[in-house]
Amino acid sequence: MERTLVLVKPDGVQRGLIGEVVSRLERRGLKLAAMKFMQMDRAKAEEHYGEHVDRPFFGGLVGFITSGPLVAMVWEADGAVEIVRNTMGTTNPKDSPLGTIRGDLAVNIGRNLVHGSDSPESAQREIALFFQPGEILDYARSNDSWIIEP
Ligand code: DAT
Ligand code: MG
């Protein structure tokens, strides 16, 4: 089953939106595989966002993501990466459709509440940054046949 990394960023924690984000992903039908409340240090943040190192917003982004606690999660589904991305909405909340997390709950690109991996390859890399293999749980979900056609 495909896995993706989701973060409720420090703005989401401060605004009391952890439950809202988790609830939307649960209700969509994604399956939670791992969850951790933590604060990223500078080294981890620079590695996580390494693709953006040369962008003008990199310093602000690293400062923001390390500024307070966040929730890191692994969610599973067939096509989990794409499903999470379209549940989150577009990078800039200003352009994000209503009905998405960013479109409903955010207004600013630098405070867009959530992170979701952008490809299965990124997901593997990012999940390994946040979780040991033993922290990602494989378990039966009793309502699976009502969410996924067997
Ligand atoms: P996403 O988080 O949708 O995958 P991204 O990987 O392109 O977006 O960028 C990572 C984060 O960096 C994004 O969530 C918010 C911030 N960011 C991106 N582009 C930005 C910009 N032009 N100005 C300020 N912050 C930006
Ligand atoms: Mg990205």
Side-chain angles (χ1 to χ4, degrees):
M1 192 70 80
E2 189 170 288
R3 290 173 170 164
T4 190
L5 180 82
V6 177
L7 304 177
V8 181
K9 296 181 182 179
D11 53 341
V13 174
Q14 293 297 327
R15 291 176 57 194
L17 294 173
I18 298 170
E20 172 79 28
V21 171
V22 170
S23 177
R24 286 179 182 229
L25 298 173
E26 281 184 314
R27 281 152 53 207
R28 185 88 202 255
L30 289 143
K31 184 178 172 188
L32 183 65
M35 180 184 256
K36 193 178 278 190
F37 189 54
M38 58 173 286
Q39 187 157 353
M40 270 167 109
D41 62 21
R42 190 164 193 87
K44 194 193 283 283
E46 287 177 352
E47 194 174 349
H48 174 70
Y49 281 127
E51 65 175 312
H52 299 303
V53 66
D54 295 324
R55 308 288 292 277
F57 59 82
F58 185 72
L61 177 60
V62 169
F64 162 61
I65 206 74
T66 58
S67 66
L70 54 72
V71 179
M73 298 173 281
V74 177
W75 288 88
E76 280 183 3
D78 273 338
V81 166
E82 190 183 347
I83 292 168
V84 166
R85 292 288 298 190
N86 63 37
T87 304
M88 282 180 2
T90 57
T91 302
N92 193 335
K94 191 160 64 67
D95 308 319
S96 199
L98 294 179
T100 65
I101 292 170
R102 287 166 168 171
D104 288 348
L105 302 169
V107 294
N108 184 271
I109 193 167
R111 299 288 185 270
N112 62 7
L113 288 173
V114 279
H115 168 84
S117 308
D118 65 7
S119 69
E121 297 70 38
S122 304
Q124 280 198 355
R125 182 182 71 79
E126 292 173 359
I127 287 168
L129 255 180
F130 285 85
F131 294 96
Q132 301 293 323
E135 295 175 323
I136 304 169
L137 304 186
D138 198 10
Y139 62 100
R141 192 172 52 171
S142 62
N143 60 352
D144 255 354
S145 68
W146 299 103
I147 297 171
I148 304 155
E149 187 179 13

